Structure formats: C-alpha cells, structure tokens
C-alpha cells in the first residue's frame, strides 16, 4: 500500500477538491470549528462523496508542519509530471508559450510562492530538474494557495537537455543573473519565452546560464544585492505580463 500524502490549508484543499477529488481518501477537520469558508468546503466535499472525519487540534498539528487552518486532506500520492507531459502541453497550446523554469530552488515555501505568482501571471507550466529541487509537498501546496492544482509543475531528468529542446521548439530562454547589464525592462518578453530563475545566493548554474539566449537583471537602488527568489520571480513575471498585454 502506497503512503498517503497530506494537503492542508483551505485554498489548497479546495483546489484539490475541485480538480482531483478522486485522489482524496478522507478529510480531517478540526473538531468544533464552524465558519463560512470551512462549511463551503465541506459542502463541496460531501457532493464529491469524500469521507470526512473530525479530529482534535493536537492530533492535526502532529500530521503536518505549518498552519493547516483546521483542514487536512489525506490523499494518494500525486503523480509528478515529466518530459512527455511538457511536450503534450506545448503541442496543445493555441498561444505563444510562457514558461517559468526554476534552477535549484529547494525551499518548498519558495516553490509555493513561485507557483502562486506563475498562476496569477498566466504561466503555462513551471519546470524544474528532478535533482536539487523543492518537492511539491503539503507545505508548497499550502503556500501556493491552490495554484499548485492549476499550474503544471514538471520535473525533468536533465535540465540542460530540456533547455536545448525548448530552443528547438522556438522558445527564447531568458535567465535572471545579477552580473548582466540588461534589465528586465529592456528585454522583449512578448514572444514564446521561458524565464529561468536560479537559487538564492548561487543563482543560475553555469551550464544553465550557457544555454540562455539572454540574461537580465532587476535594477536595484538600495544596499541589498539580491531579492528572495519568489519575490524576484514575481517581479520578472509581471514585467512579462505587462509586455504581453494580459
């Protein structure tokens, strides 16, 4: 029997109920909690035929790390998407691809925040290497506030190979790097484009940087030399959104 995965928080559980209710084995709900948001979620759960169990707070607290907001979904492990899914997704698009690639982002909180920004910006998929990348776990889903169920998170075996393939597909690769002179406001994001963000501190790996068609930076006026990767991702994505006219 495979180990169950937990998804927690009102937004994340609601999105899972909407998108993949068949994966949920049961909902664990805080005993005695009664409010409109939770009641609305439970109405949907009952319509979907999902089993609901009440549980004391101290027991819920032991099941997850983070603020569960009184609701936890126990579900089958959610299958990771891979290279084949990426190709299928791109072939199905009727508009110019807009992708986000995360190179070495290992913190689930940052992954969740990046997914949330990606969803808001209309990104078609978020791509990351299988090694040294944050898992799409309960923490990431909670921070993503439902975006994890809507934006495909695709793990690839070899990122450099995927970047070469994306180039052949006609997608322009734009990497964020502090050492370049070109700013995000000088770059053209209107076409088929993939924004590549590196890990905090280290930034993009050398091989990833070598595959980029352009390198851009966020102009910084203060004494701080870099931003949190999820904040930087949001700024870059929404400059692209401004240009693309969403």
């Amino acid at each position: 029997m495979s180990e169950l995965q937990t998804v927690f928080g009102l937004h994340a559980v609601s999105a899972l109920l909407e998108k993949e209710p068949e994966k949920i084995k049961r909902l664990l709900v805080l005993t005695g909690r009664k409010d409109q948001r939770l009641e609305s979620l439970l109405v949907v759960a009952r319509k979907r035929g999902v089993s609901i169990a009440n549980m004391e707070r101290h027991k819920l607290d032991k099941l997850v790390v983070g603020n569960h907001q009184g609701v936890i979904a126990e579900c089958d492990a959610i299958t990771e998407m891979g290279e084949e899914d990426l190709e299928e997704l791109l072939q199905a698009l009727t508009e110019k691809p807009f992708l986000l690639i995360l190179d070495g982002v290992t913190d689930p909180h940052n992954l969740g925040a990046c997914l949330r920004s990606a969803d808001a910006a209309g990104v078609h998929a978020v791509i990351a290497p299988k090694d040294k990348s944050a898992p799409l776990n309960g923490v990431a889903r909670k921070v993503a506030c439902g975006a994890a169920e809507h934006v495909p998170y695709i793990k690839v075996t070899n990122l450099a190979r995927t970047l070469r393939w994306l180039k052949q597909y006609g997608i322009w690769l734009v990497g964020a790097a502090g050492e370049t002179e070109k700013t995000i406001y000088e770059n053209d994001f209107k076409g088929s484009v993939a924004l590549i963000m590196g890990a905090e501190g280290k930034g993009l790996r050398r091989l990833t940087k070598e595959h980029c068609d352009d390198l851009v930076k966020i102009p910084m006026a203060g004494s701080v030399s870099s931003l949190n990767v999820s904040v930087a991702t949001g700024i870059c994505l929404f400059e692209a959104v401004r240009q693309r006219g969403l």
Side-chain angles (χ1 to χ4, degrees):
M1 185 179 174
S2 61
E3 190 175 340
L4 291 178
Q5 184 174 337
T6 55
V7 174
F8 58 92
L10 289 164
H11 286 293
V13 173
S14 292
L16 188 62
L17 273 170
E18 201 64 41
K19 192 90 172 177
E20 298 180 293
E22 70 282 355
K23 288 192 178 293
I24 302 175
K25 294 302 180 186
R26 65 171 178 165
L27 280 187
L28 305 176
V29 180
L30 178 62
T31 300
R33 172 166 179 173
K34 292 188 184 299
D35 61 64
Q36 188 57 48
R37 292 173 71 198
L38 183 59
E39 286 302 316
S40 298
L41 184 150
L42 294 178
V43 168
V44 175
R46 292 186 186 103
K47 284 181 180 176
R48 301 283 192 276
V50 175
S51 174
I52 301 169
N54 291 314
M55 190 170 281
E56 298 297 328
R57 180 176 292 279
H58 70 277
K59 291 184 178 178
L60 289 177
D61 291 345
K62 288 179 180 178
L63 294 176
V64 298
V65 177
N67 181 11
H68 49 69
Q69 297 178 303
V71 61
I72 298 173
E74 290 184 329
C75 53
D76 290 328
I78 296 161
T79 308
E80 283 189 350
M81 300 178 78
E83 283 95 338
E84 290 181 2
D85 299 293
L86 176 59
E87 186 170 5
E88 192 176 308
L89 182 147
L90 290 175
Q91 287 175 349
L93 286 179
T94 56
E95 55 194 355
K96 292 174 182 176
F98 182 24
L99 306 174
L100 171 64
I101 299 172
L102 302 177
D103 182 30
V105 175
T106 57
D107 184 345
H109 289 89
N110 281 334
L111 170 61
C114 287
L115 286 168
R116 189 173 180 179
S117 293
D119 180 56
V123 165
H124 298 118
V126 176
I127 302 166
K130 283 185 179 177
D131 295 331
K132 296 180 181 177
S133 288
L136 188 54
N137 59 16
V139 172
R141 289 176 181 277
K142 168 68 167 56
V143 175
C145 287
E149 283 66 42
H150 295 283
V151 180
Y153 181 49
I154 297 172
K155 292 280 199 80
V156 297
T157 306
N158 185 315
L159 183 58
R161 184 175 65 204
T162 299
L163 294 178
R164 289 194 294 271
W165 181 81
L166 289 173
K167 280 188 176 188
Q168 292 172 0
Y169 209 89
I171 295 173
W172 196 253
L173 306 181
V174 181
E179 67 270 20
T180 187
E181 291 303 312
K182 189 176 187 179
T183 74
I184 58 171
Y185 307 115
E186 297 166 314
N187 191 72
D188 186 353
F189 286 103
K190 298 185 191 74
S192 299
V193 67
L195 173 67
I196 310 175
M197 306 297 296
E200 282 185 71
K202 295 179 181 178
L204 295 176
R205 290 179 295 172
R206 179 188 58 81
L207 190 57
T208 303
K209 204 178 293 183
E210 287 174 1
H211 281 85
C212 291
D213 297 302
D214 257 325
L215 294 176
V216 297
K217 69 176 182 180
I218 299 169
M220 307 279 285
S223 58
V224 176
S225 61
S226 65
L227 297 169
N228 171 280
V229 65
S230 63
V231 173
T233 297
I235 292 170
C236 292
L237 287 177
F238 275 89
E239 170 54 22
V241 168
R242 185 189 69 81
Q243 294 186 24
R244 294 167 79 89
L246 179 63

